[in-house]
Amino acid sequence: MPKAVDIQKAIAGLPVLRNRTRETRGPGAAAAFATLAETGSVGVFAGSFEGESAWERHRNGDELVQVLDGEARLTILTESGPPDSGRAVLDMKAGMIAVVPQGCWHKFDAPGVVTVMTMTPLPTDISSAEDPREEEATI
């Protein structure tokens, strides 16, 4: 049954994930994000954090990212190549959206607290590597 979700109410009681690093995982990290909606293959999530996320990618579709509050840099690895090539770096602030293409590694860097909402195809691959494209090349 379709329903409307009050995003602010859904995230109001959640902790801010502070000092996030590429290695941050587990229940503490999950507790900072609310699941707003789910379909068979997509989740809609919202939460607040500061720091650097791990690299992630979604093999089953594009991801929609919206910044609800604060600012963050979204880096998307668009193709293979040397570490400084094949990158799109998007400086995002409240009210902005971006689409991460299917299969592209991406991460957030937020020096201050940022609140994001994502529409995320599942499952998600995670990497703590400096450049996950290089990690794949050695497998």
Side-chain angles (χ1 to χ4, degrees):
M1 179 59 98
K3 69 176 185 172
V5 176
D6 183 330
I7 299 166
Q8 295 304 321
K9 185 176 179 182
I11 65 174
L14 298 179
V16 173
L17 179 57
R18 297 198 181 272
N19 302 312
R20 187 178 191 183
T21 70
R22 281 187 262 166
E23 289 78 30
T24 303
R25 310 268 194 291
F33 292 88
T35 301
L36 305 175
E38 290 182 288
T39 68
S41 61
V42 175
V44 180
F45 307 102
S48 301
F49 64 91
E50 67 170 355
E52 178 184 15
S53 71
W55 290 103
E56 61 178 55
R57 73 173 170 192
H58 313 288
R59 296 178 191 216
N60 293 326
D62 298 340
E63 179 177 41
L64 177 68
V65 175
Q66 180 178 6
V67 175
L68 300 175
D69 192 34
E71 298 181 9
R73 174 169 284 167
L74 175 61
T75 301
I76 304 169
L77 302 180
T78 57
E79 58 188 54
S80 61
D84 292 329
S85 72
R87 289 177 186 252
V89 179
L90 308 175
D91 290 318
M92 299 183 65
K93 60 184 179 181
M96 296 177 79
I97 66 168
V99 175
V100 178
Q102 179 177 351
C104 288
W105 288 103
H106 56 284
K107 70 173 183 148
F108 289 98
D109 290 297
V113 176
V114 65
T115 303
V116 300
M117 181 177 68
T118 66
M119 187 168 174
T120 305
L122 303 172
T124 299
D125 297 327
I126 305 286
S127 174
S128 297
E130 192 67 33
D131 185 332
R133 300 171 298 180
E134 292 176 4
E135 184 179 68
E136 287 180 319
T138 62
I139 295 175

